[in-house]
Amino acid sequence: MPLNRRTFLGRSAATSAGVALAGASASTAAAAQARGHQGPAGHRKRYAFTVMGTTDLHGNVFNWDYFTDAEFDDTAHNDVGLAKISTLVDQVREEKGRRNTLLIDAGDTIQGTQLSYYYAKVDPITGADGPVHPMARAMNAIGYDAAALGNHEFNYGIPVLRKFEEQCDFPLLGANALDAKTLRPAFAPYWMTRLRTPFGRDVKVAVLGLTNPGIAIWDKANVQGKMTFPGLEEQAAKWVPRLRSMGADVVIVSAHSGTSGTSSYGDQVPYVENAAALVARKVAGIDAILVGHAHVEIPESRVVNEETGREVVLSEPLKWGQRLTLFDFELAWERGRWQVASVSAEVLNSNTAEEDPRIVRLLGDEHKKVVGYVNQTIGTCSVAMAATEAPYKDEPIIDFINHVQSETVKAALAGTEYAALPVLSQASCFSRTAAIPAGEVTIRQVAGLYPFENTLEARVLTGAQLKEYLEFSARYYVQTPAGGEVDPEKLTNASDTPDYNYDAVGGLTYEIDIAKAPGSRIAGLSFEGKPIDEKAEFVLAVNNYRASGGGNFPHVASAKQVWANSEEIRNTIIAWVQAEGTIDVSRFGSVDWKLTRDGVPVF
C-alpha cells in the first residue's frame, strides 16, 4: 500500500517559527523568568530548560494489569501508566515553568496491553467510524511534543500506525525508517522548536528520532517491500550535522535502542540493535539521548564523544510509565549564540504520584469497555495451571501453548507434501505470573499466557539442528555443580538472558545437565521413545519473532518456511479454547524435559 508520507519539513518549519508552548499562569511566568540569569560577573547570559522523557509505554494508560484484572504491582512496587506520568509532568512544569519544558518519548507506544490490543483489533482505530486510540488521546492531553517510533509500532501493520500518527497532535519521528522505493524518510526525521528566553534570544532545540533496525526482521510481514531500516549511527551521522547547520543550539536524540551495543538477531541485519551509546560515542554534535527499547532504568549515563571529547548524557526511564526522565540543560550566551554549558539527567518514580483525574475521566469509558471484554468467559479448564515454576520445570501451562501450536500447524499442513513430517513446537514462559484456574476461563486469563503479538510459522529443521537449538536455549541456566542445594531464584537468566529467550520444545524428550558448560548440556534427546535421528526432518511450530532471528537461535531463521499465519498466537489459543470448550490437561500435560546435574534430576 502507498505510504502517504507527510511533508514533515513544512510542519517542522511551522513549529520552529512559533513559541514552543504558549500560555502560562502568573506563577509559571515568574518561574520562567527565574530560569534565565546573569553570570557571576554580570556579563554572561544563562538560560536553563528541562526536557522530560518517557519510553516503552506499551499501551499503559492506567495503573492497571488487564491480565490479572487488578491494580498493577510488582516486587519493587512500581506503578505504571500515563495517568501517573501526567501528574509528574504537571509538577515539573509548575516547578520549571511550562515555557521552559519539553516532553518527548522514545517509542513502543501502541502495543502491550489489552487496552492497546482492543483498539487495534477488536474496535480498530482504522474502522470507518473508528475511535481515537487511547494512547493518542492521553498523550495529546498531556501535551507531548514528539515521539520516536518503536519497533512494536509496526506490529499491527502500517495502516494502524498511519492512523495513529494521524490522530496524534505531535510528530512520530524515525530518521532511519525509510520508504523502500525512494529511500527517503517515511516519517518525520526530526522536530524543531524555539524556547523563548528572558534575553530576547531564543534557544533552538532539535529532536532527532531513531528507531530499531530489527523491525526489518521482527515485522517482516508488515514492512517488507514498503520500508527499510538502516542503522542508527549511519542516520545520526547524516542528520545531526544538518540540524546544526539549520541553527540548532541543542540536539537531542530520541532513540528506540538500548545502550549495550549488542544485538539479539546476530547477523540477520548488518546494524546494531542496542546502539544508543555507540551513536553518542561516534556522532559529534549530540547533547543528550533519550534511550528506549531495553526496558532498563538508567537515571544518567555519560559517554565521551570520540571526535569532540565532549560528554553526551544518556537516560532511560525504565518502561510502561514507571519513570519519567528529566534532562536539565544549562546554556550560556557565548560568541553570539547559545552554547550548552552543562547537561544532567535523573528519573522520577511514578509510584510517588497519584493518577491525574483529568486522564482518568478522559479514558475511563475505554478502560471499562476493555475490562468487560477481557473478563468474558470462553471455556473451562480441568485443573489449575500456573507458570510460577515454568522457567525451570516442564509445566502443563507451557505444554498447553505447544499443544495448541502443534495442532494448528498439523491441521494447516494436512494434505500438503509436509503432512507426514512430525510436528514439534517451541514456547517460552513470557510471564511467571500467568495462570489458568480450574473451572471457568476468561479471555484475559488465556491472553495472559501470550502477552506479545507474535504470529505462528512452521519451519523444517533436522534432528541435529534441533539439538543445537536446544543447546543454545539451555544457556539460560547458570552452571551449577552437582551436590548441594539449588536456589531456583539464582538458577535462570544466565548472562542476562530474558525468560522469553528460553524455549522449551514440545514433542521431544530430553535432559538439561546444568552441571555442564553451555553447549554440552542436552542429554537423552529422543523422539517417540527413540534417540533422535540427526538427519530426520521435523516441522517446528515457531513464533515469528524467533523465526525472524529474534534471540539469535541457530538454524531457525534460515530454515525452510512451510507455513505462516498472520493471526496472533494469543488469538489462536483463545479461539482454540472457544472451539474446544474445555482445556483437558490430561491431553497434553507431561514431563518431557527436566534439569539434571551429572544425570541426577534437580527437582
Side-chain angles (χ1 to χ4, degrees), residues 19 34 60 63 97 184 192 203 240 390 404 406 463 502 507 514 579:
V19 176
N60 285 281
N63 188 43
R184 294 176 178 174
M192 298 187 75
V203 173
V240 171
V404 173
S406 60
Y502 170 67
I514 59 173

Side-chain angles (χ1 to χ4, degrees), residues 220 409 413 416-418 421 457-462 465 537-542 547 554-564:
K220 182 178 179 180
V409 169
L413 296 180
T416 73
E417 60 182 301
Y418 304 101
L421 292 181
E457 296 189 17
R459 302 269 178 142
V460 176
L461 278 75
T462 66
Q465 290 174 328
E537 289 187 328
F538 299 83
V539 173
L540 181 67
V542 58
H555 306 302
V556 67
S558 58
K560 182 178 180 61
Q561 182 195 80
V562 295
W563 177 81

Side-chain angles (χ1 to χ4, degrees), residues 209-221:
L210 296 169
T211 193
N212 206 286
I215 296 165
I217 55 175
W218 299 325
D219 269 301
K220 182 178 179 180

Side-chain angles (χ1 to χ4, degrees), residues 378 567 570-580:
I378 56 172
E567 182 181 69
R570 174 168 58 209
N571 279 348
T572 299
I573 300 173
I574 290 170
W576 187 95
V577 176
Q578 290 173 319
E580 293 288 327

Side-chain angles (χ1 to χ4, degrees), residues 33 71 91-92 95 102 297 302 308 315 381 401 442 456 471 473 509 551 566 580:
Q33 186 68 28
E71 185 175 305
Q91 291 171 356
V92 174
E95 176 190 351
L102 298 173
E297 181 177 348
R302 293 177 178 268
T308 65
S315 180
C381 188
I401 298 173
T442 64
L456 190 61
E471 287 285 9
S473 184
T509 302
S566 61
E580 293 288 327

Side-chain angles (χ1 to χ4, degrees), residues 9-336:
L9 290 175
R11 180 169 184 172
S12 296
T15 306
S16 301
V19 176
L21 293 166
S25 65
S27 62
T28 302
Q33 186 68 28
R35 298 279 279 173
H37 58 275
Q38 300 290 341
H43 63 278
R44 295 184 67 193
K45 301 182 180 69
R46 287 187 175 268
Y47 173 70
F49 72 98
T50 297
V51 177
M52 298 174 280
T54 55
T55 191
D56 295 274
L57 293 168
H58 283 288
N60 285 281
V61 173
F62 301 104
N63 188 43
W64 191 261
D65 186 340
Y66 293 97
F67 294 131
T68 62
D69 198 28
E71 185 175 305
F72 177 88
D73 196 21
D74 61 13
T75 55
H77 301 299
N78 289 303
D79 288 348
V80 301
L82 279 169
K84 291 201 167 230
I85 289 295
S86 181
T87 299
L88 291 178
V89 167
D90 284 347
Q91 291 171 356
V92 174
R93 286 171 173 162
E94 179 66 24
E95 176 190 351
K96 310 284 189 179
R98 186 181 178 104
R99 293 177 185 269
N100 306 310
T101 64
L102 298 173
L103 176 60
I104 63 176
D105 184 79
D108 274 6
T109 304
I110 60 172
Q111 174 277 335
T113 64
Q114 286 293 284
L115 180 71
S116 55
Y117 176 81
Y118 187 90
Y119 288 98
K121 290 291 188 178
V122 182
D123 185 13
I125 60 174
T126 50
D129 297 309
V132 177
H133 198 290
M135 295 301 287
R137 294 187 69 192
M139 294 174 81
N140 289 342
I142 295 168
Y144 274 78
D145 293 295
L149 293 164
N151 55 285
H152 284 288
E153 259 65 84
F154 294 84
N155 284 175
Y156 297 117
I158 292 173
V160 170
L161 175 54
R162 286 299 186 191
K163 189 64 177 180
F164 175 70
E165 179 190 29
E166 179 185 314
Q167 293 176 342
C168 290
D169 293 340
F170 51 91
L172 301 183
L173 308 178
N176 61 328
L178 310 182
D179 183 311
K181 293 182 176 64
T182 66
L183 297 184
R184 294 176 178 174
F187 294 83
Y190 63 88
W191 174 77
M192 298 187 75
T193 193
R194 293 177 182 271
L195 297 178
R196 180 177 295 171
T197 76
F199 308 109
R201 304 281 189 173
D202 293 349
V203 173
K204 197 170 186 179
V205 180
V207 178
L208 178 69
L210 296 169
T211 193
N212 206 286
I215 296 165
I217 55 175
W218 299 325
D219 269 301
K220 182 178 179 180
N222 290 327
V223 301
Q224 188 173 33
K226 300 172 184 175
M227 292 187 191
T228 185
F229 302 88
L232 285 82
E233 179 190 351
E234 170 189 327
Q235 294 301 302
K238 173 182 177 179
W239 284 101
V240 171
R242 292 188 186 185
L243 297 175
R244 289 294 185 182
S245 69
M246 293 165 64
D249 301 300
V250 179
V251 173
I252 301 158
V253 173
S254 183
H256 194 75
S257 181
T259 62
S260 67
T262 60
S263 298
S264 69
Y265 41 72
D267 59 359
Q268 294 296 308
V269 295
Y271 307 112
V272 177
E273 176 183 350
N274 295 298
L278 180 67
V279 170
R281 191 166 62 250
K282 295 290 187 180
V283 180
I286 298 169
D287 297 300
I289 301 180
L290 176 65
V291 178
H293 184 61
H295 290 202
V296 297
E297 181 177 348
I298 304 175
E300 181 187 87
S301 175
R302 293 177 178 268
V303 175
V304 176
N305 182 266
E306 292 178 350
E307 180 179 337
T308 65
R310 292 176 61 91
E311 287 185 333
V312 182
V313 176
L314 288 72
S315 180
E316 182 172 4
L318 200 52
K319 60 184 178 181
W320 304 348
Q322 293 177 349
R323 304 289 186 272
L324 177 69
T325 280
L326 304 185
F327 289 106
D328 286 317
F329 291 84
E330 182 153 337
L331 277 61
W333 183 261
E334 296 177 349
R335 296 186 295 276

